[in-house]
């Protein structure tokens, strides 16, 4: 059994969240078929909310439906991954401009705490926590931009990005580099250097793409 039992009146969003969690944790792997009937049986619910959940995940690009075969976890191609990271870089470069325009003590305290947490996880070499804190930092950059559409688009990438990271943990063996990059980015935000901060965040994301592509060559 992969999934825990649910209340009979469970809503599709809850089911979708559980399926996404199973995918990002590597329990259901990229390219693997998703068994709608088995999920419903595991959760003790009807197939209807599972079917609705999979439709939502299809819209997000997390799963794909292959006619006459079924639903599968989306196995992204090289071009898909590159496009996703390029768009993410553009989104975050715009977001960081807005963050610098809107910056206040609350924003700076939150981002400073994010960077301190990243540095602690780097020091302790805690991979799982580091992945979470890294994503949280970038999520806060987007949230503090105040642009809801930007946030929605960015969030749509996150399940796929987590899946890619979990495919190859050596992607996060560049521990020290991660800590330095986030600290430098925070300093540029504090100093209000918009252009340099934008260049830094785009370079940071594209470098992450380079590390990821190198790691995924064996797949």
């Amino acid at each position: 059994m992969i999934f825990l039992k649910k209340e009979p009146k469970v809503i599709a969003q809850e089911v979708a969240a559980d399926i996404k969690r199973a995918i990002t944790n590597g329990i259901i792997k990229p390219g693997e078929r998703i068994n709608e009937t088995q999920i419903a049986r595991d959760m003790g619910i009807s197939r209807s909310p599972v079917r609705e959940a999979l439709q939502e995940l299809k819209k997000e690009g997390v799963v794909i439906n292959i006619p006459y075969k079924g639903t599968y976890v989306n196995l992204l191609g090289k071009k898909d991954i590159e496009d996703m990271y390029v768009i993410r870089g553009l989104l975050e470069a715009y977001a960081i401009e807005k963050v610098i325009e809107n910056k206040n003590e609350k924003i700076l305290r939150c981002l400073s705490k994010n960077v301190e947490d990243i540095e602690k996880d780097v020091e302790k070499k805690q991979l799982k926590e580091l992945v979470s804190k890294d994503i949280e930092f970038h999520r806060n950059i987007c949230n503090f931009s105040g642009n809801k559409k930007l946030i929605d688009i960015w969030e749509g990438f996150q399940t796929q990005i987590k899946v890619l990271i979990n495919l190859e943990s050596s992607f996060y063996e560049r521990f020290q580099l991660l800590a330095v990059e986030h600290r430098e980015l925070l300093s540029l935000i504090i100093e209000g250097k918009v252009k340099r901060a934008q260049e830094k965040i785009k370079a940071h994301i594209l470098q992450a793409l380079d590390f990821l592509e190198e790691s995924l060559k064996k797949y």
Side-chain angles (χ1 to χ4, degrees):
M1 181 184 291
I2 295 176
F3 298 97
L4 298 176
K5 293 287 185 183
K6 292 283 187 185
E7 293 296 325
K9 294 182 180 179
V10 66
I11 59 174
Q13 287 87 340
E14 290 181 57
V15 178
D18 279 6
I19 296 172
K20 280 166 68 167
R21 196 173 299 115
I23 292 170
T24 56
N25 289 338
I27 298 169
I28 305 176
K29 301 188 182 302
E32 186 175 332
R33 185 173 183 273
I34 296 179
N35 190 320
E36 183 183 302
T37 303
Q38 186 61 52
I39 292 173
R41 187 179 298 124
D42 284 355
M43 292 185 175
I45 59 176
S46 70
R47 291 173 59 184
S48 180
V50 179
R51 192 174 300 115
E52 288 180 43
L54 292 176
Q55 283 300 316
E56 285 302 311
L57 295 179
K58 182 182 175 183
K59 290 177 185 176
E60 292 181 29
V62 176
V63 304
I64 57 172
N65 184 261
I66 301 176
Y68 309 111
K69 289 189 176 182
T71 302
Y72 293 77
V73 178
N74 193 1
L75 183 58
L76 295 173
K78 185 174 183 291
K79 184 67 166 57
D80 293 320
I81 295 170
E82 289 174 352
D83 288 349
M84 184 168 61
Y85 270 76
V86 168
I87 292 171
R88 184 185 161 199
L90 294 171
L91 288 173
E92 293 193 30
Y94 175 80
I96 213 162
E97 178 182 352
K98 296 304 173 185
V99 167
I100 290 174
E101 286 179 7
N102 303 330
K103 73 177 180 181
N104 55 48
E105 286 304 314
K106 181 181 177 182
I107 289 175
L108 295 180
R109 279 198 305 271
C110 182
L111 295 178
S112 295
K113 176 68 165 54
N114 289 154
V115 172
E116 288 168 7
D117 288 341
I118 287 170
E119 289 171 338
K120 288 176 185 175
D121 290 334
V122 165
E123 185 179 347
K124 296 176 182 178
K125 295 190 176 181
Q126 294 178 319
L127 173 63
K128 186 175 180 181
E129 292 80 1
L130 177 57
V131 171
S132 175
K133 299 294 170 46
D134 185 6
I135 290 173
E136 183 181 348
F137 175 83
H138 290 273
R139 176 177 285 114
N140 281 333
I141 291 287
C142 293
N143 284 336
F144 291 140
S145 75
N147 188 316
K148 188 178 184 304
K149 289 298 180 184
L150 183 151
I151 296 163
D152 289 343
I153 295 169
W154 188 90
E155 287 289 355
F157 292 143
Q158 291 317 297
T159 299
Q160 294 166 324
I161 287 172
K162 288 178 184 177
V163 168
L164 292 169
I165 290 171
N166 284 332
L167 275 177
E168 182 50 74
S169 61
S170 65
F171 171 56
Y172 266 82
E173 285 179 0
R174 56 190 189 109
F175 286 106
Q176 296 300 329
L177 185 56
L178 273 175
V180 170
E181 287 179 352
H182 286 88
R183 176 58 66 181
E184 288 176 350
L185 190 52
L186 176 63
S187 296
L188 292 171
I189 292 171
I190 293 171
E191 293 166 13
K193 295 179 178 177
V194 176
K195 294 299 181 185
R196 286 184 59 191
Q198 288 180 314
E199 290 169 3
K200 183 69 182 178
I201 203 162
K202 284 194 284 189
H204 169 71
I205 290 169
L206 291 178
Q207 186 180 63
L209 173 61
D210 289 341
F211 273 91
L212 180 58
E213 288 184 328
E214 188 63 32
S215 296
L216 294 178
K217 281 181 179 177
K218 60 187 176 184
Y219 287 91

